[in-house]
Amino acid sequence: MSSILIAIVVLLVLASVFGIILGFAAVRFRVEGDPIVEQIDALLPQTQCGQCGYPGCKPYAQAIADGDAINKCPPGGQSTIDALADLLDVDAIPLDAEHGEEKPKTVAYIREDECIGCTKCIQACPVDAILGAAKQMHTVIVSECTGCDLCVEPCPVDCIDMIPLPVTPANWKWPAPVSDPSLILTDRGRGQLLQGASQ
Amino acid sequence: MALIHLSSPHVSKANSTARVMRLVLLATLPAVLALTFFFGWGSLIQIFLACTFALIFEACALYLRQRSLRFFLSDGSALVTALLLALAIPPMAPWWITAVGMFSAIVIAKHLYGGLGQNPFNPAMVAYALLLISFPVEMTQWNAPFVLIGDSWQALPSLSQTLAIIFNSSQALALDAYTGATPLEVLKHKGSLTTEEIWRSSDVLNQGVFAWYGVSAAWLMGGIFLIYRKIMTWHAPLSMLVTLFILASLFYGGDPSNFADPFVHLGVGATMMGAFFIATDPVSGATSNKGKVVFGIGLGILIYVIRTWGNYPDAVAFAVLLMNLSAPFIDQYTQPRSYGHKHSSPTRGGHR
Amino acid sequence: MSRIFSFHGGIHPPENKKQSLGADIRLAPIPTQLILPLQQHIGKAALPCVTIGERVLKGQKIAEANGRISSSLHAPSSGIVTYIGPQPVPHASGLESDCIVIDTDGLDEWTALSPILDYQSMNKMDLINHIRDLGIAGLGGAGFPTDVKLHLGDDHIVNTLIINAAECEPYITADDALMRERSDEVLAGIEIIAHLLKPSHILIGIEDNKPQAIKALDHALRTSTLNIDICVVPTKYPSGGEKQLIQLLTGIEVPSGSIPADIGIVCQNVGTTAAIYRAIFKGEPLISRVVTLTGYALGHRQNYEALIGTPFTTLLEAAEVNRKALFRLVMGGPMMGISVNDERIPVIKTTNCIIAATKDEMPPAQPAQPCIRCGMCEQVCPASLLPQQLFWFAQGREFEKAKHHNLFDCIECGACAYVCPSNIPLVQHYRFAKSEIRTEEFEQQKASHARIRFEARQARLEREAAEKELRRKERAEAAAKQQAERKLAEAAPKEVSTDEEKATQLKQLKTAASVARTKLKKANDALKNAREKGLEGIDKLEATILLLEQKANEAQQAWIDAGGEQN
């Protein structure tokens, strides 16, 4: 009987000692990390385009932190989803087509002779990348434009085009070497091959 | 005219994986000759068998994996694996030993892991270890070298006798006339005798050991050829042999009556083959020069420990597999210091 | 003679240098058209300062340096500027870039030059500006503007000046030929650099496969008062890489992420020294350079002094190209050069060699086999990297890991790909990984920039909204006050105070009356029309007219009451 009592007492003492240590450690060594919202926001492309259904990147970051899906950002594309999955330690899922498709990077271009100077696009631009005044021609500051196409819709005369960024020697990227597909069929390629055969 | 995205360099050395493999095959030639000289036709037949099985299994695996047969068969890697296994197993082993061995080497150890370049373990050694554990009797029946059973090469089984032994297991009795223990086995089972006593009492040791020394010398020749041709570096073999030698010397120096002398360790068993043809396998070994040295040292220690205190007489296969396991770890901690860096870069997980 | 150190790795590819050293440097013909890319150097593209149709003289500046790290451009021969715009340029991408095109007139008429004969008595800054003005850029590989290297500021003390004469790439002999034939120019250039930098050592690094050049330099050095060491290094590629040469000559490694100047070393190519000599003593801008034309598709394999902007076609034809045998055209050496698919591409400041190779010389790449981790690449890597590890990461798109394995210390020398038995295009894998990482970083930067702008805009909008709100409140208060005042005022009889107000009122009433009359008239017209055609709704129109008549009368009355004339 006494041995049981001793065991209980010992366990209780141990539990309280460790509890105190853990409690102390929790207070003493608290990590003041970046709030998760900031970290998520840092991974988003900051186009502020609202394609995710939120009024900007920060609100979407907040929504992700609150448990929303991570695949609602078309401008960021798969690489952003992968980065988010990595940060949040969840599975990377394909982009939700409902919110748009991943498109090549574009910039807005105003056909200046058609611009009537209504300033509607200026008000729509989330990053102040359009220059102009009322009844004056507007123009896009290319280096600041995020390609969100929020300015296209409000334009009453439809004079804004989203044009893909031109490839110049300065921003040209080396392509990955292509391996002969007949030599190295990846498992993914093989699956497609089999699917193709069955259809 | 030229393509646009052709990256430099525009020239390359006349070098190919197939050429590397051919040179390795060439380097095994002395050992093949030595084994044939001392132990008869067995090795040649095993090589033929192993190569045939290897090519069949490789072709099947490639076909199932939908790879180009001609392109991948021509790299010669399957033949190297076949040759090494054929030379490691007893020359008189039954044919199915080779078949099982090649299946586990090519299909399981190599292709199930993603084919050439992706296998974490040396295929030949996986097969050898599997055979040794599964078929210990067949795998330890070495026929005796001719120096033990007669005056000349004629004393060994003839070609037809050898074929009969290998392909008809019911004639296994016939084999008994030729088999004997290997020097390492004799030493392992010396019982209460001192090293000196067993050395004097055993023919295998005082006469037969020279056959084994001859084979080791042949392996050594092949290895030096490969290092000379820059197919591999000296790091892993040398560090392995030196470690084994030092360990054996220490123990032999401390207690000569209980431990084998260091030259026996170097000269018998699969030491030389392991050092130059297995430890240098680039796919499953460590990557950097420093890593290769560590890899070799580990091999040397493991070989000595398993030989001396383990259950099996020889230890090269097990030691290699254990070191293969630790190769990624070694790689992670032996990255070379890059130009312009004070220290080797922080290790963040290597790729295997 | 100082001690020679060594560097890790390196390879010994076939040199192929003899075939272009059979004859002296020959003057290349002046082409009918010169094409001058605005970007021939690292940094910002130059800005054109000529217009289409303008006649330019040889040596006249046609584009101005734009920013500190930039280089100006000069007309290599006299002629007329006919086009400014995109043209094919020597770049790995094969893309076009802005160029100035000059149609030469064959007169080769010089502009007025301003040589400096007594440079030692001149202000150093003026001297450096003179070099900058004449568009001198590194002739070795990257085309770094030379003036930037010569003007390091007070925080960099230069101990060692290294003249890079190693020329380690196979095939290229441009520097070799230059040193053989113009060693005095090279030396004079070195003296100018030494005057500007005041280094304590001057080392010329040269590979031992150029005995004649070494002899020529040695001979020239006898007359020099400077303490210059010729350091002969063993022939091994890539000993001419800047970092490798520094290690060879000094035993010091340039720390990762730093430039040699950070450790007190400045490297200059021999070709650049000769260009500096010409700029100072002759006042000539950088408008020509020595180019090696080699490869077995050419009849004459030798060095040419070619004008910058000369299309490759002109040079290839001068060297009697056999177009049937031509399989690959490479600008630069076989190890690091870029393949070119358009013969119209011009010679630029960094074009040291053009290789017109036959199929046997540079066969098409074999298909890549799997990596067997043989480690040959690691044995030859001059930066002591783990090339096969980097390859795995690049292939698996694990760029973060590649960065941690010092991908950016790779100098893309190609030694690894050269020895790879599996024919893996390693360098391209690294270039791909590097551009992906750079793009990613750029986008990250752009994103954070966009976020800052977005947040600033949000803040501004909020502030504006707050201000608006404030103003609205103020206005409301003011309106309420006015209302109260008006009420007070209404209590008193309304008086038209001044004649002016009276006149305005009168005018308004007049307008109202005339508008009412016009409406009435129109309605009458409509009624008349309706009656004539027998349309419906006549009674409705009549009612409207009655109403309008009344209104018109009222308006008229009001006007008359207010003192308007009787109409």
Side-chain angles (χ1 to χ4, degrees), chain C residues 16 101 109 120 200 230 266 285 320 381 415 477 488 500 503 543:
Chain C
N16 284 314
V101 178
E109 192 181 331
Q120 266 148 336
S200 41
I230 299 180
V266 168
E320 290 177 7
C381 179
E477 272 168 29
L488 274 175
E500 207 173 311

Side-chain angles (χ1 to χ4, degrees), chain A residues 43 79 82-83 86-87, chain B residues 335 341 345-351, chain C residues 389-409 429-430 432-442 444:
Chain A
L43 292 177
S79 58
D82 291 345
D86 205 33
L87 173 72
Chain B
Q335 279 182 42
H341 288 262
S345 61
T347 48
R348 280 282 194 96
H351 178 283
Chain C
Q389 222 58 8
L390 292 174
F391 158 64
W392 287 115
F393 297 144
Q395 201 183 34
R397 304 182 70 97
E398 293 176 275
F399 299 132
E400 201 55 36
K401 279 186 186 167
K403 235 161 69 182
H404 275 286
H405 278 70
N406 306 325
L407 174 65
F408 281 92
D409 287 308
H429 277 286
Y430 307 149
F432 161 69
K434 281 181 179 175
S435 13
E436 287 293 312
I437 293 172
R438 284 202 193 103
T439 313
E440 215 168 90
E441 277 172 0
F442 174 74
Q444 203 100 49

Side-chain angles (χ1 to χ4, degrees), chain B residues 96-119:
Chain B
W96 50 267
I97 285 275
T98 319
V100 172
M102 284 329 296
F103 181 79
S104 46
I106 300 290
V107 178
I108 294 172
K110 188 170 151 190
H111 280 292
L112 288 192
Y113 282 94
L116 180 62
Q118 307 280 344
N119 46 308

Side-chain angles (χ1 to χ4, degrees), chain C residues 467-480:
Chain C
E467 276 169 11
K468 226 176 180 175
E469 182 64 25
L470 198 71
R471 273 206 301 276
R472 196 187 63 77
K473 268 185 193 154
E474 276 170 6
R475 262 207 310 276
E477 272 168 29

